[in-house]
């Protein structure tokens, strides 16, 4: 497919090879990519996304043995993992807990989406919280752009689709290019729900689940546009393991396409 | 998930077991479920959906040996299959070719979506062409309703999503029930594109492909709302093979939610 702006509504819908030569924007609004941005804002030096809990625990051991200061964060079923330092609520990631530490992070959907993006030449993570900062780098990109929505346990998620749609609405006036059908759906979703973001997130399946386990307060935080001015970007360490660090900081303009 | 109105944007996104006890509406607007409706209108007695070409040819042999009058129809890559009587263009299915015959039908996406729906208690097929007729039976249904979009070679298709959204727009005033996130996306798509159906179908990936192989004229036919007043429904023969026959005929009201 030759579309230069593609939305993939689930990681499993990314065809093998399609990301090659392109830029992947990984989206898990509720809550992984929101929380990762907050963790960087709170001072973590980098974030290792790890798919499984034993893998996360063993990597933490490895880094601690080499003298690194490490914290473990993440969730399963939305709640904190026993033995981890922090869960997946953005506000848990405070300066006193995070400053100058490495974060090893494992969540149900977002972490896996991030690892699934590995075929792309450049990989960044996005939430509503760092919308304009991500937009700014996308406006400079000439390569095909792929928005990879994490979804929720294999189900397409409204909130991730909405954010992909917001990016399209912001980019298309500057870059009118072919897009795939899922991109049109995402754009439509943003047209319909962009003015009532928090309400849309509350009625999404993911938002309903958070409210049901007492974490409804996280939703407003995840719907906050442009609170943070940083773009987490994937690098590879000496052992070819992907990790995130802050690839750029600072926005020049507010690019949010909503009113 | 307890949602009573669910949209599945691809057959592969239907969780095992989720259709049990429910009604499945199989949608492949461009063109299988449009063509099936036209074939019934042209007089075929029933339609056997078959996944693969050898299977279709061998079933045709079997029925012919028992004295049935059979035609073979379908496509691969959008074009007619060598050895088949008809392709997948709705207008090929004329009275003189179809009257009182069985149709054995194999297409890339629609046939497979139909076979994928087999866990449901009731399975019908829908296009824009038989919208109100399908709506009428859905208004009577008390069971959970699943719209299964065929998509196109594993990619989510705008046109199928749009039709699912039109059904939601028509049903929700009569049946305000929980829906899944994909249903919201479908509804949004209909809100944005429902008034410009033909144009939306033309710019979809499937519509672009049809135009590229000289079959663009099919698109307007597939976007025609309520041309036919019949609902193809799955039954099972003595060998437990699924086939379609016309389960109901006649609409009492026009239920199209567009203007």
């Amino acid at each position: 497919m030759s579309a230069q702006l593609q939305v993939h509504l689930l990681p499993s819908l990314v065809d093998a090879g399609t990301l090659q030569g392109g830029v992947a924007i990984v989206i898990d609004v509720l809550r992984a990519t929101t929380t990762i941005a907050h963790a960087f804002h709170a001072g973590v030096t980098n974030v290792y996304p790890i798919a499984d809990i034993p893998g996360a625990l063993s990597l933490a051991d490895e880094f601690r043995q080499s003298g690194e200061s490490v914290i473990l964060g993440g969730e399963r079923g939305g709640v904190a993992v026993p033995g981890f330092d922090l869960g997946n609520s953005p506000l848990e990631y405070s300066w006193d807990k995070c400053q100058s530490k490495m974060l090893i992070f494992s969540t149900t959907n977002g972490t896996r989406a991030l690892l699934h993006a590995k075929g792309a030449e450049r990989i960044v993570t996005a939430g509503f919280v760092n919308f304009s900062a991500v937009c700014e780098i996308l406006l400079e990109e000439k390569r095909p752009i792929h928005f990879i929505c994490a979804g929720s346990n294999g189900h397409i998620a409204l909130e991730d689709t909405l954010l992909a749609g917001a990016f399209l609405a912001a980019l298309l006036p500057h870059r009118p290019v072919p897009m795939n059908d899922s991109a049109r759906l995402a754009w439509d979703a943003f047209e319909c729900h962009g003015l009532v973001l928090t309400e849309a997130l509350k009625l999404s399946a993911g938002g309903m689940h958070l409210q049901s386990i007492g974490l409804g307060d996280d939703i407003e935080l995840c719907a906050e546009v442009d609170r943070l001015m940083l773009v987490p970007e994937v690098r590879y360490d000496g052992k070819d393991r992907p990790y995130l660090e802050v690839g750029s900081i600072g926005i020049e303009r507010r690019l949010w396409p909503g009113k």
Side-chain angles (χ1 to χ4, degrees), chain A:
Chain A
M1 191 182 303
S2 61
Q4 295 293 296
L5 284 177
Q6 291 195 35
V7 172
H8 308 279
L9 294 178
L10 284 173
S12 62
L13 299 178
V14 181
D15 288 344
T18 199
L19 302 181
Q20 210 176 350
V23 179
I25 320 304
V26 176
I27 296 174
D28 185 5
V29 169
L30 294 176
R31 298 167 286 162
T33 55
T34 303
T35 298
I36 287 169
H38 273 271
F40 279 115
H41 183 66
V44 303
T45 52
N46 55 43
V47 176
Y48 273 78
I50 305 293
D52 59 297
I53 293 167
L57 291 167
S58 108
L59 188 66
D61 278 348
E62 180 188 324
F63 282 130
R64 280 173 182 146
Q65 278 164 25
S66 46
E68 298 281 356
S69 183
V70 173
I71 51 173
L72 276 154
E75 54 73 34
R76 284 297 180 276
V79 298
V81 178
F84 277 34
D85 304 293
L86 297 170
N88 191 23
S89 286
L91 279 189
E92 290 181 72
Y93 290 75
S94 55
W95 187 256
D96 57 313
K97 290 178 186 140
C98 294
Q99 192 186 2
S100 303
K101 293 189 177 146
M102 300 178 59
L103 169 62
I104 295 176
F105 195 61
S106 184
T107 68
T108 319
N109 306 296
T111 306
R112 291 171 192 177
L114 196 45
L115 297 171
H116 207 90
K118 68 173 184 291
E121 273 188 12
R122 182 180 193 180
I123 306 169
V124 305
T125 67
F128 288 104
V129 287
N130 64 339
F131 179 84
S132 291
V134 172
C135 246
E136 196 71 52
I137 68 163
L138 295 182
L139 285 172
E140 304 297 316
E141 272 295 344
K142 302 286 178 255
R143 291 172 284 193
I145 296 175
H146 297 267
F147 298 96
I148 303 179
C149 300
S152 181
N153 301 315
H155 296 113
I156 289 166
L158 178 61
E159 66 278 11
D160 297 340
T161 313
L162 264 173
L163 178 55
F167 280 118
L168 292 169
L171 292 175
L172 281 166
H174 305 276
R175 183 180 166 137
V177 291
M179 54 182 156
N180 67 352
D181 283 12
S182 293
R184 291 189 191 279
L185 298 180
W187 195 11
D188 291 351
F190 181 72
E191 288 291 314
C192 290
H193 289 110
L195 296 179
V196 287
L197 266 192
T198 308
E199 289 66 27
L201 266 58
K202 282 183 181 164
L203 60 75
S204 71
M208 302 278 272
H209 176 66
L210 284 177
Q211 291 167 78
S212 77
I213 59 174
L215 296 172
D217 286 350
D218 280 0
I219 297 173
E220 291 193 25
L221 219 64
C222 293
E224 239 180 338
V225 176
D226 286 345
R227 176 171 174 149
L228 306 173
M229 300 176 289
L230 54 86
V231 181
E233 180 159 352
V234 168
R235 313 284 185 208
Y236 295 88
D237 70 11
K239 294 183 173 171
D240 206 29
R241 290 180 298 213
Y243 66 94
L244 290 157
E245 65 177 26
V246 173
S248 68
I249 293 184
I251 52 171
E252 291 164 28
R253 340 165 228 186
R254 184 169 159 92
L255 293 159
W256 180 247
K259 272 76 199 171

